[in-house]
Amino acid sequence: MHRYIGEAHYAAAIVGIQPCVRNMTLRLGDSVVNRLGYGTMRLVGEGAWGEPRDREHACKVLRRAAELGVNFFDTADAYGPAIAEELLREALHPYTGLVIATKGGITRQGPAKAAPCGRPEYLHQCVEMSLRRLGVDTIELYQLHRIDPLVPVEESLGKLVELREQGKLRHIGLSEVTVAQIEQARRVTRIASVQNKYNLSERKHEAVLEYCTANGIAFIPWYPVDAGRLNKPDGPFAEKAREKGITVLQLSLAWLLNKSPVVLPIPGTYSLEHLEQNVAAAKVNLSEDEVEEIELIADTQAF
């Protein structure tokens, strides 16, 4: 069983973790969030570019997620761009009982095309525009979407710290970072979350997850389910999923939730049916032996 062994002061206040991995909530500051969130990137057009196929349906998915108990929604100004934040406001404002996390720090050049931009004046604009689109005075969790290699991270984060001191942000997080980059960032400010790509078939950020677990930092895996490579009737996890009476996708989400008490998956979907299945995965219990068995199966596969 993973143990919470990290910094006792800020970590305990920002990310409240119980010793049991199956504790299904995290405390982010004054808010308690369920550990199965929702990511909004899938709601907009292909390659995170353009309008959704059906705007009202996209709003219906968001409302249904909240009805099912999802109270953590992840978005970014780059999704659309801007459209995902607008959808959240249209569907869920004033966000009663919900935590909305957004990101800034990349620019879009077209579908699936992006470049980091961490200049302080640009990040200031990003925050101001996200506040306007979301219709809030304070963003609960604001994550630097990428560290810009052309801008010292101290300058990028320094601007976010300044905006937090003005009351425009409550907590600051990072995305797609290494352990060394997290440590560098923590010399500038407190870091509440790390959002990296991580799923059963792609675990290159294992060291980052271990670091977050040890230090009480929320770990938010984006693309938490590799549906294309996992969801096969005769695939490597099919037998284990049948044994548990669940789908392979639910098995992969349950594995994440049982992996560490700081993990907060944010599966996104445009389908109401898949949304219901994703949320149901939070009820699946796996033993430590089963978690290790699933990882062993993954390690022996050539994805």
Side-chain angles (χ1 to χ4, degrees):
M1 187 72 68
H2 294 282
R3 294 181 297 131
Y4 174 42
I5 58 176
E7 300 168 280
H9 301 293
Y10 179 74
I14 298 304
V15 183
I17 306 166
Q18 303 299 321
C20 176
V21 171
R22 283 303 300 171
N23 179 35
M24 290 307 297
T25 60
L26 281 176
R27 180 173 292 279
L28 292 171
D30 298 329
S31 302
V32 175
V33 298
N34 296 324
R35 285 182 54 221
L36 201 295
Y38 180 88
T40 60
M41 189 174 72
R42 295 286 296 276
L43 290 180
V44 300
E46 193 71 24
W49 186 264
E51 289 283 342
R53 284 170 282 171
D54 183 327
R55 196 175 182 95
E56 181 50 40
H57 177 80
C59 289
K60 187 176 181 180
V61 171
L62 289 169
R63 295 187 190 106
R64 182 58 180 152
E67 290 171 357
L68 291 170
V70 174
N71 61 358
F72 180 86
F73 291 81
D74 176 83
T75 190
D77 61 6
Y79 299 165
I83 294 169
E85 290 181 331
E86 294 169 356
L87 289 171
L88 279 166
R89 181 174 185 173
E90 186 176 335
L92 299 175
H93 194 270
Y95 316 117
T96 303
L98 306 178
V99 171
I100 309 299
T102 193
K103 299 182 288 294
I106 66 172
T107 60
R108 285 285 184 194
Q109 295 77 48
K113 296 179 181 178
C117 183
R119 291 184 292 110
E121 61 272 26
Y122 178 69
L123 290 174
H124 194 155
Q125 174 183 293
C126 289
V127 169
E128 295 291 352
M129 296 305 294
S130 287
L131 287 167
R132 183 189 300 182
R133 284 188 293 267
L134 291 169
V136 296
D137 296 322
T138 303
I139 295 169
E140 289 294 315
L141 175 61
Y142 193 86
Q143 299 160 107
L144 182 61
H145 210 154
R146 292 292 187 276
I147 290 178
D148 186 341
L150 301 180
V151 179
V153 71
E154 292 81 4
E155 294 184 13
S156 299
L157 291 176
K159 172 55 70 173
L160 298 184
V161 169
E162 176 187 322
L163 294 170
R164 184 181 63 199
E165 291 171 349
Q166 294 174 11
K168 296 180 178 182
L169 312 176
R170 199 172 308 279
H171 302 298
I172 295 171
L174 303 170
S175 181
E176 282 304 294
V177 288
T178 64
V179 169
Q181 289 173 322
I182 300 171
E183 291 180 332
Q184 181 182 10
R186 293 178 77 197
R187 289 192 285 271
V188 179
T189 185
R190 304 182 299 265
I191 297 298
S193 68
V194 168
Q195 184 171 150
N196 281 11
K197 186 177 183 182
Y198 184 85
N199 57 56
L200 192 50
S201 58
E202 189 167 347
R203 308 203 313 273
K204 69 178 182 180
H205 289 300
E206 198 76 47
V208 173
L209 173 55
E210 292 175 2
Y211 182 90
C212 289
T213 302
N215 289 279
I217 298 171
F219 183 83
I220 306 172
W222 65 270
Y223 201 57
V225 175
D226 191 350
R229 293 194 278 186
L230 288 179
N231 195 21
K232 300 175 182 177
D234 58 346
F237 304 104
E239 182 177 348
K240 186 64 181 179
R242 284 193 295 269
E243 177 186 316
K244 301 291 290 186
I246 57 177
T247 68
V248 171
L249 300 189
Q250 287 175 317
L251 181 71
S252 61
L253 285 172
W255 168 78
L256 276 171
L257 290 166
N258 283 271
K259 177 76 172 172
S260 165
V262 303
V263 170
L264 172 55
I266 48 169
T269 181
Y270 188 76
S271 162
L272 287 168
E273 180 183 0
H274 290 164
L275 171 65
E276 305 246 357
Q277 292 175 358
N278 290 343
V279 173
K283 300 177 182 178
V284 178
N285 285 302
L286 297 174
S287 68
E288 287 187 68
D289 288 343
E290 286 178 314
V291 170
E292 292 177 2
E293 175 190 353
I294 291 167
E295 291 182 10
L296 181 61
I297 294 172
D299 290 341
T300 57
Q301 301 301 310
F303 288 109

